[in-house]
Amino acid sequence: MTPDEAIAEQERLRPLVSTRTDPGLVVRHVAGLDVSYADDDRLAAAIVVLDAESLETVDSAVVSGKADFPYVPGLFAFRELPSLLEAMEKLTVTPDLLVCDGQGLAHPRRFGLACHLGVVADMPSIGVAKTPMGQFTMPDDVRGAHTDLVDDGEVVGRALRTREGVKPVFVSVGHRIDLDRACAEVLRLCVTRLPETTRRSDSLGRAQLR
C-alpha cells in the first residue's frame, strides 16, 4: 500500500468511529499496546493485559517483525497495526478496553492508531500520547485536572494531569468510548505519569528487542 492509498483507507474507515461509550461498558481487563523499534526497522509489538482494579498483569503477548511501511507522519498505524493484531490473537484473556501509546481522534484526519485499531478490532479503544497533536492550555497541577486539546478549532482530546508535579498526557478517543470515560479510565491506570498499561507494554517490547 502506498502512502496515498493509506490516506484513502483512513478516509474510508473514519466514518465508522463511534465517540459514544458502549451501553453498560464494564472494564474488568484493560490492554496496553506499544510498538518498540530497533535501528534496523526491526520491531516488537507488545500487549499487556491488566486487571483494571488491582493493576496486576493477567496476560501478555509479543510479536517480533519488521516494518513493511515507510515512516510517514500520520500513517504510523500502517507500520504497527499488522503486528499488533497478530499479538492480540495470542492473548488468552480478552480485554474490555485497548489503550494505545499514540493518538486517536487527535490526528490530522481524525483517525490515529487508536481509532484504526478500535475500528478494525471492533473494540473500545483510547489513545494516550506523550506529546500533543494540537494546542492546549497547561492544566492545573492537580491529579485529574484537564484542558481541551484543540486542532483547527475542534476539540480532539484533553491534556490530562495524571499526577501532581509531572507533565500531562494527551488523551483522545479511539472508538466506542467518550472522552469523559476515556479520561476516567486513564486516571485509574496511572501510578506514575503514564498508564501502567503503557509502561508495561513498552518494557515488554524493549526486552524482546534486546
Side-chain angles (χ1 to χ4, degrees):
M1 184 176 290
T2 67
D4 285 345
E5 289 171 336
I7 291 172
E9 180 71 354
Q10 288 179 331
E11 298 286 4
R12 183 183 72 84
L13 294 174
R14 180 177 59 181
L16 302 179
V17 171
S18 171
T19 58
R20 295 183 179 182
T21 299
D22 285 358
L25 175 64
V26 177
V27 179
R28 296 184 179 89
H29 295 112
V30 55
L33 302 94
D34 185 68
V35 178
S36 298
Y37 291 92
D39 293 336
D40 57 359
D41 271 346
R42 285 184 300 119
L43 61 80
I47 303 179
V48 177
V49 182
L50 275 58
D51 180 288
E53 294 295 333
S54 68
L55 300 186
E56 292 182 3
T57 298
V58 297
D59 198 6
S60 64
V62 61
V63 167
S64 297
K66 198 155 188 174
D68 294 326
F69 194 86
Y71 180 88
V72 180
L75 298 177
F76 295 143
F78 293 90
R79 288 172 65 87
E80 301 186 350
L81 199 64
S83 295
L84 287 173
L85 290 172
E86 185 179 348
M88 285 181 64
E89 291 177 356
K90 294 187 173 185
L91 294 176
T92 58
V93 176
T94 301
D96 304 298
L97 177 66
L98 308 176
V99 178
C100 299
D101 179 32
Q103 311 286 2
L105 292 177
H107 179 273
R109 286 172 292 281
R110 308 294 181 258
F111 198 72
L113 173 63
C115 296
H116 204 149
L117 182 64
V119 167
V120 171
D122 195 22
M123 296 177 65
S125 59
I126 297 171
V128 182
K130 304 177 190 70
T131 56
M133 208 298 295
Q135 303 297 315
F136 70 100
T137 301
M138 188 64 71
D140 293 338
D141 192 14
V142 178
R143 175 179 167 85
H146 59 82
T147 57
D148 289 341
L149 182 64
V150 180
D151 182 57
D152 287 339
E154 181 181 352
V155 176
V156 294
R158 284 182 187 160
L160 176 66
R161 188 85 69 175
T162 56
R163 302 288 295 179
E164 293 182 11
V166 300
K167 296 178 182 178
V169 296
F170 303 93
V171 180
S172 58
V173 168
H175 185 46
R176 290 172 54 181
I177 196 167
D178 66 79
L179 189 54
D180 285 342
R181 180 69 180 273
C183 288
E185 294 293 344
V186 170
L187 276 176
R188 72 171 178 155
L189 290 169
C190 288
V191 178
T192 59
R193 179 196 177 205
L194 297 175
E196 286 300 294
T197 42
T198 299
R199 283 164 39 83
R200 295 183 203 179
S201 56
D202 174 76
S203 178
L204 178 61
R206 291 177 184 274
Q208 180 75 4
L209 284 179
R210 289 195 297 271

